[in-house]
Amino acid sequence: MAGEENTLAGLLQALQGLTPKDFQEFKTKLSEVHVEGEWNIPRDSLAKAAHPCALASCMQENYSRGAAMDVAIGLFEEMNQRDLAEKLLEEKVKEYQRKYREHVVREFLRYKEVNSCLGENLSVSSRYTDLTITRKPWSKRGGEHEAVGAHGCADTGNGPATITVTAQTLFKPDEDGQTPQVVVLVGGPGMGKTMTVRKVMVEWVEGTLYAQFDYVFCIDCKDLAFTKEVSVADLVSKCCPHKRMPSGKILDDQKKILFIFDGFEALGFSLVQPKDELSSDPREVRPLETTLMSLLKKTVLPESSLLITTRATALQSLGQCLEGEYYAEILGFSAAMREEYFHRYFEDDNKANVAFRFARGNKILYNLCIIPVMSWTICTILEQELYKKKNLIECSKATTRMSMFYLSRLMQCRGRDNPQDLQQFLRKLCSLAAEGMWKHKVLFEEKEIKARGLDQPDLLPLFLNEKISKKGVGHGNVYSFTHLHLQEFFAAMFYVLEDDEEMVGDSGALAKDVNTLLESYSDSRKDLNLTVRFLFGLVSQKSMENVDKIIRCRVSPRAREDMLRWLQERHRGISHPGQGLKVTELDTFHFLFEMHEKSFVQSTLGRFTDIDLQDIKLTLYDQMALSFCIRQWGELGCVTLRGCSFHQQDLREELAAAVPRSGASGAGGRPRPLAEQGWQEEQRAPIHLLCRALRHPGSHLRVLRLQWCGLSESCCEELAALLAQHPSLARLELGDGTLGDGGVRLLCKGLQQPGCRLRVLRLWYSRLTSACCKDLAAVLGTSPCLEELDLSFSEGLHDAGVHLLCEGLQHRNCQLRTLRLGSCRLMGACCQALAARLVESTHLTCLDLSDNELGADGILQLCQQIRHPACPLQTLGLSTSELKEEAVQELAALRALKPNLKIGYLLEQDVPQAGAMARLPFHRGVLPGTGGPGDRKALPSFRRGPCNNRSRF
């Protein structure tokens, strides 16, 4: 209503500016006007309108709002009342501007996603996430416009400087002060070109972007494809479906107009129109190609600005007809932007955190999230998983299935081509991908594309990015897959798809032998890891169904059989005779997790009994893969992890080094908690997934070794629960410098539970002090099964700790047979307490005190008790190389009295590997063998071996 009142007021003001004579002339001319499609004013009504107010009302009643203004403007011009005509025209332009902005809001502010609910529209402002965009001038030689690498990174070679921009700064002056008039925004399918255009339109209406333009006209090139003839004025009118557009007034101020052509490649023009055939009149109707060429070559509206979004397929032809343009390339999401997108998608910080943590734990998925449509794909699937399970710990949507979802999304973007043509194209595409993987090749020349029959304009741009060759525009284009991981996906698909007759007859095609691929991976080609992982994902029953549904192709069942056989055989040569078969490669678990079929896991691992992994940084996704396989593995008896850290994905590390996020708030402008605030799953112990898997009902685990794995105190709570609930677990070995007294106390709670049947507990390098020995003593007095306790290298234990342990040894329920206290910095003061227990403890047969400075008095006290006929001791560990003569003689006499008693250095030489050694938090901050305070080595076990501590008697 406000618009109508303003129009009436403007018309009334103009009529009031006429003299009585001019007013009558205006009425006379008005009586002769005939407006097509409108009511004409009856003569009697016109005669009654004796003053400007009545005439203005009469015109409003009989004409539409726009028609009344047009009629008045036309009559004023006939009467040579140009000032009044100009004022009314300005009012009309303002009115049109208001209508157009309302139209833009309706068209661009909200949009519907493929997976959104019926009737649900999403806000661009709440969902849009800034993209990494680089801008640089482009040389007609083509050398400066480099291809985007397979990992989504720009090639910053020689040539004009590349700068990072945003959608907001595309038209800002460059370093030389030059303001771009033409910007070409380049990006592959799903990189966010159209979403960026939507964001531009919305922010222009809001007045926060491109305020230098009075009009921004967005033209969807897909809608133009079937237009034969058009003028520039027609293009403008298509952008706002309101009649009576003041095109002349709008187009006169060229500098205030920005044209956006979205998806230029959809037009498929060669753009080679001769310049003398181009138009200079924006109202002249010409063939569509001519009109567009006239805009591009600036023969019409030369001072207007252009923003063209396109895939790289149209770059060569565009480059031949544009002048002084800037090229901006969308590279995708940075690390910080990926996290922000997850928060904007979910609109719930807890869900976003859980989903982002899952994606970040899977390196492949996280890398693919660079591509905006892949981020959308992953978020869509994870949202469905969270709805079903409330968490993602057991998420079955592995990398292959998400890639299949992405492929199905691409299939929705294609035209209505023949399904058989699509199958042939995909088979050829997969062959190209596989050959590229074998040759370490990610860029393909145009002649290769044509030779394979892949030069199909409706399909090729969906899968490959087209780039100008570095050699220049005259040397053909080069092509690359949207991301290296997608090339690996299609390479895997090549090996599992059944051939059709045409491919079988192709003598030049790459040999399709799954065994060759698997053997090459085992031998030397570790770069094929992801291809092999996709291979396993594609032969799962679910993937086979999806392949048939999406592309109407069959997956070979023989490939599945070959892969099962390969997995069963690959670890056989590593295991020693007489030992259980070991799985020693983490990738085995990833292959099985990718397939995610319990029966296949059981068939593969049924012959194996041990896991032995060394020096691996286990990401969350690694732990998920390992845990999934353990839950299906009833024959697993021994788990050994040496130098393996359980990565908890501290997002602060990445965000500290990442590109700053675009804003401090999340979706909808609300403050968003930083990633370091964590969430419920992040607070769990690092080994939570492993311990939960080991507790599965069918587990027969007997031995668990976690050595130099950086275990924290919270890990001991998980281990305590495992001890309490796992009666088959007989041996637990923890070699780590971070457990501490608190961790040991937690372990002791589990050791005292009725369900615990542990027989051997080894705690090496655990930074124990006497403070936890009371708890250990309680375990010795209550555990009916514990036969061996090894606290070697607990240099904070001291004599006071031994005194407390002895209280447990004297308990009548103590079943301990072996006590190892080597290299615990013990002195002679503890020997009296130990000696007293040697006779009282009827089960203790082995006592290791190697590498402790007990002194002659201490050794004499021990020997006196060992002489007793009731002493059951059979093995005594001592460091004898520096003993005084008196002690040596006493030991010799003891040996003569009890010839079956073994006396010597007993410390084992179980040294961590180099990678684990670097992470081991040694007690005094000195490496083994490098010396410490008082010239005493930090870890004596590494400086002495049995050969240097032989008995002198």
Side-chain angles (χ1 to χ4, degrees):
M1 293 300 294
E4 294 181 8
E5 292 174 2
N6 291 336
T7 302
L8 180 61
L11 178 59
L12 176 59
Q13 187 176 9
L15 292 174
Q16 288 173 338
L18 296 172
T19 63
K21 181 180 178 181
D22 291 335
F23 181 74
Q24 289 301 321
E25 182 183 354
F26 183 88
K27 287 179 61 176
T28 302
K29 290 181 177 293
L30 183 60
S31 66
E32 300 170 355
V33 169
H34 296 280
V35 182
E36 185 177 353
E38 299 281 348
W39 291 98
N40 293 314
I41 301 177
R43 290 185 178 274
D44 56 342
S45 298
L46 196 57
K48 293 177 182 177
H51 52 83
C53 186
L55 184 58
S57 297
C58 183
M59 293 179 69
Q60 282 293 113
E61 291 171 2
N62 289 277
Y63 293 136
S64 64
R65 189 173 13 166
M69 294 290 281
D70 287 342
V71 168
I73 291 169
L75 295 180
F76 284 144
E77 287 177 345
E78 283 184 29
M79 296 168 60
N80 206 25
Q81 297 285 343
R82 300 195 179 280
D83 289 344
L84 295 177
E86 187 66 27
K87 287 181 180 180
L88 275 187
L89 188 57
E90 287 177 0
E91 287 293 330
K92 182 179 180 180
V93 169
K94 288 179 182 178
E95 173 67 6
Y96 177 79
Q97 223 170 18
R98 184 185 64 80
K99 288 181 181 178
Y100 179 61
R101 288 177 181 269
E102 290 174 354
H103 171 75
V104 168
V105 170
R106 288 194 301 271
E107 288 293 310
F108 292 95
L109 179 60
R110 305 191 73 81
Y111 71 103
K112 188 174 182 64
E113 278 190 343
V114 175
N115 64 320
S116 57
C117 300
L118 184 64
E120 178 188 13
N121 289 319
L122 301 171
S123 167
V124 171
S125 300
S126 65
R127 178 61 61 86
Y128 181 80
T129 305
D130 280 344
L131 297 158
T132 299
I133 305 174
T134 59
R135 189 185 78 183
K136 65 194 292 187
W138 184 69
S139 166
K140 296 299 181 287
R141 296 190 304 275
E144 284 77 21
H145 186 77
E146 307 294 355
V148 175
H151 292 280
C153 302
D155 183 349
T156 54
N158 297 328
T162 298
I163 60 173
T164 301
V165 297
T166 65
Q168 291 80 3
T169 59
L170 285 174
F171 285 92
K172 282 195 173 182
D174 60 16
E175 295 177 350
D176 299 327
Q178 296 292 320
T179 300
Q181 196 177 359
V182 178
V183 175
V184 180
L185 184 62
V186 186
M191 291 301 287
K193 301 183 296 297
T194 297
M195 194 67 168
T196 299
V197 167
R198 282 187 171 275
K199 180 67 170 174
V200 166
M201 296 300 293
V202 169
E203 292 197 353
W204 171 72
V205 168
E206 293 172 347
T208 58
L209 180 64
Y210 300 162
Q212 67 268 37
F213 301 116
D214 286 345
Y215 293 93
V216 179
F217 297 114
C218 180
I219 300 161
D220 188 340
C221 294
K222 292 191 294 295
D223 295 340
L224 277 185
F226 300 103
T227 302
K228 293 183 178 180
E229 293 186 332
V230 73
S231 68
V232 174
D234 291 336
L235 291 177
V236 171
S237 66
K238 287 178 182 291
C239 294
C240 185
H242 288 288
K243 296 180 180 179
R244 311 289 179 181
M245 182 192 72
S247 57
K249 186 69 174 176
I250 292 172
L251 298 176
D252 283 346
D253 199 354
Q254 303 176 21
K255 291 183 179 180
K256 296 288 188 177
I257 300 175
L258 169 63
F259 289 100
I260 299 178
F261 290 94
D262 185 31
F264 198 84
E265 76 285 344
L267 297 173
F269 290 157
S270 58
L271 300 178
V272 291
Q273 199 82 4
K275 191 168 184 177
D276 56 2
E277 296 181 8
L278 300 181
S279 174
S280 59
D281 182 1
R283 298 165 188 81
E284 183 181 11
V285 177
R286 300 290 295 274
L288 176 61
E289 186 172 357
T290 303
T291 299
L292 292 180
M293 279 287 291
S294 302
L295 270 173
L296 297 177
K297 284 189 170 291
K298 297 294 184 182
T299 62
V300 64
L301 303 182
E303 295 182 335
S304 64
S305 296
L306 299 176
L307 173 60
I308 304 168
T309 75
T310 181
R311 297 175 187 171
T313 50
L315 279 184
Q316 187 168 346
S317 55
L318 271 174
Q320 293 174 354
C321 62
L322 295 174
E323 295 292 338
E325 72 276 18
Y326 281 77
Y327 283 78
E329 186 162 27
I330 298 177
L331 304 184
F333 288 145
S334 68
M337 293 168 184
R338 274 172 266 179
E339 190 202 9
E340 181 171 324
Y341 179 84
F342 273 67
H343 279 269
R344 288 182 177 274
Y345 181 95
F346 285 95
E347 298 182 340
D348 178 285
D349 287 313
N350 290 329
K351 289 182 179 180
N353 284 330
V354 170
F356 183 68
R357 179 173 178 243
F358 175 86
R360 189 175 177 272
N362 183 335
K363 184 178 180 182
I364 302 146
L365 289 183
Y366 188 60
N367 287 340
L368 285 172
C369 282
I370 290 172
I371 306 171
V373 73
M374 202 67 197
S375 284
W376 172 83
T377 298
I378 292 166
C379 285
T380 299
I381 294 175
L382 295 184
E383 183 180 38
Q384 296 168 358
E385 288 295 301
L386 283 171
Y387 178 78
K388 290 186 293 185
K389 300 180 180 178
K390 308 303 180 186
N391 66 69
L392 299 175
I393 295 301
E394 298 179 2
C395 179
S396 62
K397 304 300 182 186
T399 312
T400 305
R401 297 189 187 181
M402 294 196 182
S403 300
M404 287 299 301
F405 189 92
Y406 174 68
L407 177 60
S408 68
R409 180 77 179 89
L410 289 181
M411 292 299 94
Q412 295 174 18
C413 299
R414 65 184 175 88
R416 295 184 177 180
D417 44 26
N418 189 317
Q420 292 183 342
D421 292 340
L422 173 64
Q423 293 171 17
Q424 290 295 330
F425 177 87
L426 283 175
R427 292 180 193 277
K428 294 172 183 177
L429 182 77
C430 292
S431 176
L432 177 77
E435 187 168 316
M437 296 311 302
W438 280 111
K439 297 179 179 179
H440 302 282
K441 189 174 183 179
V442 296
L443 293 177
F444 305 92
E445 295 183 2
E446 190 169 351
K447 60 183 180 182
E448 297 177 84
I449 301 299
K450 291 181 177 179
R452 292 179 180 272
L454 290 170
D455 50 336
Q456 300 182 33
D458 291 338
L459 292 172
L460 185 65
L462 296 177
F463 304 96
L464 299 181
N465 288 335
E466 181 181 7
K467 306 294 177 183
I468 306 300
S469 172
K470 292 184 178 183
K471 299 176 184 178
V473 294
H475 293 79
N477 295 340
V478 292
Y479 297 81
S480 66
F481 285 84
T482 311
H483 197 285
L484 174 60
H485 293 337
L486 294 177
Q487 180 178 344
E488 292 167 312
F489 171 72
F490 287 113
M493 191 176 282
F494 167 77
Y495 282 97
V496 299
L497 291 183
E498 288 188 343
D499 280 326
D500 61 359
E501 295 180 2
E502 180 177 333
M503 295 295 288
V504 170
D506 186 358
S507 59
L510 182 68
K512 184 178 289 192
D513 186 353
V514 168
N515 292 309
T516 300
L517 174 66
L518 296 174
E519 289 167 8
S520 295
Y521 171 73
S522 292
D523 292 342
S524 59
R525 289 295 302 272
K526 297 304 180 185
D527 58 298
L528 296 173
N529 174 273
L530 184 53
T531 303
V532 175
R533 192 184 299 188
F534 278 132
L535 206 64
F536 279 88
L538 286 167
V539 298
S540 71
Q541 291 295 337
K542 185 65 175 178
S543 291
M544 293 168 75
E545 294 171 7
N546 286 334
V547 169
D548 181 53
K549 179 180 178 181
I550 296 170
I551 59 176
R552 305 289 184 185
C553 293
R554 293 187 69 242
V555 172
S556 169
R558 181 178 176 181
R560 181 184 171 101
E561 296 169 4
D562 291 341
M563 291 155 67
L564 172 61
R565 187 163 47 251
W566 174 73
L567 274 182
Q568 290 174 336
E569 297 294 329
R570 74 181 301 222
H571 296 281
R572 284 188 177 276
I574 299 172
S575 302
H576 299 290
Q579 293 184 347
L581 291 175
K582 298 180 180 179
V583 177
T584 59
E585 300 289 343
L586 179 66
D587 58 7
T588 295
F589 303 115
H590 275 294
F591 298 152
L592 295 171
F593 187 56
E594 200 68 33
M595 180 177 279
H596 217 89
E597 287 185 11
K598 295 180 180 180
S599 60
F600 193 91
V601 175
Q602 292 163 355
S603 298
T604 302
L605 299 178
R607 303 180 184 184
F608 297 90
T609 59
D610 292 16
I611 294 174
D612 191 347
L613 302 178
Q614 297 191 27
D615 204 23
I616 299 173
K617 184 178 182 179
L618 295 167
T619 67
L620 175 63
Y621 202 70
D622 294 334
Q623 296 168 51
M624 291 175 67
L626 180 61
S627 300
F628 168 75
C629 293
I630 288 175
R631 288 197 299 273
Q632 328 308 326
W633 193 354
E635 295 77 9
L636 179 63
C638 177
V639 174
T640 301
L641 303 180
R642 289 188 175 92
C644 296
S645 61
F646 293 83
H647 190 42
Q648 278 295 86
Q649 309 224 233
D650 188 353
L651 298 182
R652 288 171 294 184
E653 297 175 6
E654 176 167 317
L655 292 176
V659 179
R661 67 177 72 253
S662 60
S665 58
R670 69 190 190 286
R672 175 158 60 81
L674 297 176
E676 58 260 31
Q677 290 178 347
W679 48 89
Q680 184 177 358
E681 289 168 314
E682 192 71 68
Q683 296 170 354
R684 288 172 172 161
I687 61 171
H688 168 73
L689 288 179
L690 174 65
C691 289
R692 193 174 73 168
L694 291 173
R695 292 199 300 267
H696 76 92
S699 174
H700 294 91
L701 184 73
R702 298 182 303 279
V703 180
L704 176 60
R705 297 187 182 95
L706 301 175
Q707 299 169 345
W708 313 295
C709 292
L711 302 182
S712 63
E713 185 174 312
S714 63
C715 294
C716 293
E717 190 169 3
E718 290 284 349
L719 290 170
L722 179 65
L723 289 169
Q725 301 172 29
H726 211 307
S728 69
L729 184 60
R731 187 180 188 96
L732 177 63
E733 298 183 12
L734 305 176
D736 224 310
T738 55
L739 292 182
D741 294 328
V744 174
R745 288 194 185 100
L746 291 171
L747 273 180
C748 290
K749 291 181 180 179
L751 289 165
Q752 295 179 76
Q753 295 300 312
C756 179
R757 295 291 184 268
L758 197 73
R759 296 174 58 191
V760 178
L761 176 62
R762 171 177 284 186
L763 303 174
W764 279 20
Y765 308 110
S766 299
R767 288 189 178 175
L768 308 185
T769 69
S770 59
C772 70
C773 289
K774 188 173 183 180
D775 298 272
L776 286 169
V779 170
L780 295 178
T782 57
S783 175
C785 301
L786 190 64
E787 297 177 352
E788 180 176 338
L789 176 63
D790 189 345
L791 303 179
S792 300
F793 310 110
S794 299
E795 297 188 348
L797 201 62
H798 300 302
D799 295 338
V802 176
H803 280 281
L804 291 171
L805 287 175
C806 288
E807 293 179 8
L809 289 173
Q810 70 181 356
H811 199 286
R812 61 184 180 181
N813 292 330
C814 179
Q815 303 295 314
L816 200 70
R817 296 177 180 273
T818 301
L819 177 61
R820 299 185 185 276
L821 301 172
S823 194
C824 289
R825 287 199 169 188
L826 304 182
M827 308 296 284
C830 69
C831 292
Q832 183 176 358
L834 279 171
R837 303 298 172 261
L838 291 177
V839 176
E840 296 174 3
S841 179
T842 58
H843 300 287
L844 191 65
T845 59
C846 177
L847 175 64
D848 183 15
L849 300 172
S850 302
D851 208 13
N852 289 295
E853 298 176 358
L854 302 177
D857 291 342
I859 290 178
L860 289 174
Q861 289 174 344
L862 288 172
C863 289
Q864 288 173 4
Q865 288 297 96
I866 296 173
R867 284 173 176 269
H868 196 286
C871 178
L873 200 69
Q874 299 174 8
T875 304
L876 176 63
L878 292 173
S879 299
T880 60
S881 61
E882 298 177 5
L883 290 179
K884 293 182 179 180
E885 190 64 29
E886 181 183 6
V888 172
Q889 292 177 0
E890 182 65 26
L891 287 171
L894 178 62
R895 185 67 176 273
L897 178 65
K898 290 190 172 184
N900 293 329
L901 178 66
K902 298 176 183 178
I903 303 175
Y905 188 87
L906 300 182
L907 273 177
E908 299 179 18
Q909 302 298 301
D910 192 3
V911 184
Q913 300 298 316
M917 181 76 79
R919 291 195 296 272
L920 184 62
F922 292 108
H923 299 21
R924 303 191 188 94
V926 282
L927 292 175
T930 60
D935 200 30
R936 187 171 187 265
K937 309 300 183 187
L939 294 177
S941 65
F942 295 123
R943 67 180 172 89
R944 287 187 187 144
C947 59
N948 296 324
N949 292 275
R950 291 175 182 169
S951 175
R952 293 165 53 193
F953 42 86

